[in-house]
Amino acid sequence: MKPSIIFILFLFLLNKAHAQELFVYSEPASNMAAKSLGLRLNNYFNKKPASGVYTYQLAPELMWGISKKLMLHADFFFSNRSGKFLNEGGALYFKYRFLSNDKIHNHFRMAAYARAAVNSGKIDQPAIDLMGQNSGYEAGLIATMLEGRTAISATVGWLHAEDNLDQKKFIYGTSNRNAAGYSLSVGHLVFPLQYKNYDQVNMNLMLELPGQTNLGSGRSFLDAAPSVQFILLSRMRMDIGYRFPLVNDLPRAADRGFLLRLEYNFFNVYR
């Protein structure tokens, strides 16, 4: 799909969307429900540009809604990119919502987030990926606007890559260990047209534009990530997405691929 077509589709969604604040490739400023627990199974099928071979990454994720302002995620990374299916590390993700300007039919919210990751896998790309490739840390801000039933979210952050475990050195130079990450997301609620009860199936279409610029080399990538999302009984969720590059100047071991996510939430787990 050409970049111009993606841009036209994005403008259409921006003007016509009826969305929920549940994005597939990024987090909104809103948190999961307080006193809730959740489980995600993230399945990534990533295509290597040189060989065309797909690798598989499984990333189970435990989620905890500590309060209405604070949440915590723990991720564990399993992959067959080395030729064997191995556990390669994990990450902790914190998000704190510090601003809420809520009205009846709209709101504007902002949150700060931080992630710390450890990884034992081979470092084979200058792009920094703390969700399965690199050890390191990141921090940033998220702003999300809900107007009527339209949700738009923007994220900007700073990433730093450390050497991986087992003495796997970041070979692309000290000056290239830092990057700026960013994304813009919008969604479209396809079904239901009217809410009658919590048991209705929700279907959302998403378009997200995640990217990164290495602060040392100045090289960047920008991807398009369309997806479809189903929400069942207000607590079960399935995401299906495909991510591919629009700008591909910052090399990656796998620059496109599919995502299948399954999620289940437990509400009011404790008093």
Side-chain angles (χ1 to χ4, degrees), residues 48-243:
K48 294 183 177 181
S51 63
V53 173
Y54 280 88
T55 61
Y56 172 61
Q57 181 191 38
L58 172 65
E61 185 172 354
L62 302 176
M63 307 180 295
W64 179 20
I66 300 172
S67 70
K68 66 179 182 180
K69 292 186 177 182
L70 182 64
M71 59 182 280
L72 169 66
H73 289 193
D75 300 272
F76 307 91
F77 307 128
F78 301 84
S79 172
N80 68 350
R81 64 190 178 107
S82 66
K84 298 180 180 180
F85 188 70
L86 301 172
N87 172 241
E88 295 182 334
L92 289 177
Y93 174 87
F94 296 88
K95 184 171 64 176
Y96 177 74
R97 178 166 56 86
F98 62 84
L99 176 65
S100 295
N101 184 5
D102 295 351
K103 298 180 182 179
I104 296 177
H105 298 294
N106 60 75
H107 67 238
F108 177 76
R109 294 174 179 175
M110 293 190 70
Y113 73 89
R115 176 181 282 112
V118 294
N119 199 287
S120 61
K122 179 182 177 182
I123 300 175
D124 53 6
Q125 62 177 40
I128 299 172
D129 179 6
L130 301 182
M131 290 296 291
Q133 295 275 351
N134 295 96
S135 296
Y137 46 87
E138 67 174 310
L141 297 173
I142 308 169
T144 303
M145 180 179 67
L146 180 70
E147 184 66 37
R149 301 175 69 195
T150 301
I152 305 168
S153 189
T155 301
V156 61
W158 170 77
L159 302 90
H160 175 79
E162 295 282 354
D163 292 345
N164 279 8
L165 301 178
D166 300 329
Q167 297 181 340
K168 294 181 175 66
K169 185 175 177 59
F170 187 82
I171 61 175
Y172 299 100
T174 301
S175 62
N176 294 325
R177 288 181 181 268
N178 300 308
Y182 37 85
S183 67
L184 183 63
S185 305
V186 66
H188 179 75
L189 176 62
V190 177
F191 183 84
L193 298 179
Q194 293 183 340
Y195 282 101
K196 297 180 181 179
N197 58 66
Y198 291 115
D199 293 337
Q200 288 178 285
V201 176
N202 292 334
M203 177 180 175
N204 300 298
L205 294 180
M206 308 284 177
L207 177 61
E208 300 179 71
L209 303 173
Q212 184 180 124
T213 298
N214 188 280
L215 299 179
S217 67
R219 305 180 75 173
S220 302
F221 72 77
L222 179 66
D223 293 344
S227 58
V228 60
Q229 179 184 87
F230 300 93
I231 301 172
L232 309 173
L233 303 175
S234 299
R235 65 176 62 238
M236 293 182 288
R237 171 178 158 186
M238 181 173 69
D239 301 335
I240 304 171
Y242 180 70
R243 179 171 173 167

Side-chain angles (χ1 to χ4, degrees), residues 32 36-40 61-65 263-266:
M32 60 188 295
S36 66
L37 296 175
L39 172 64
R40 283 179 180 170
E61 185 172 354
L62 302 176
M63 307 180 295
W64 179 20
E263 176 180 323
Y264 193 89
N265 290 280
F266 303 87

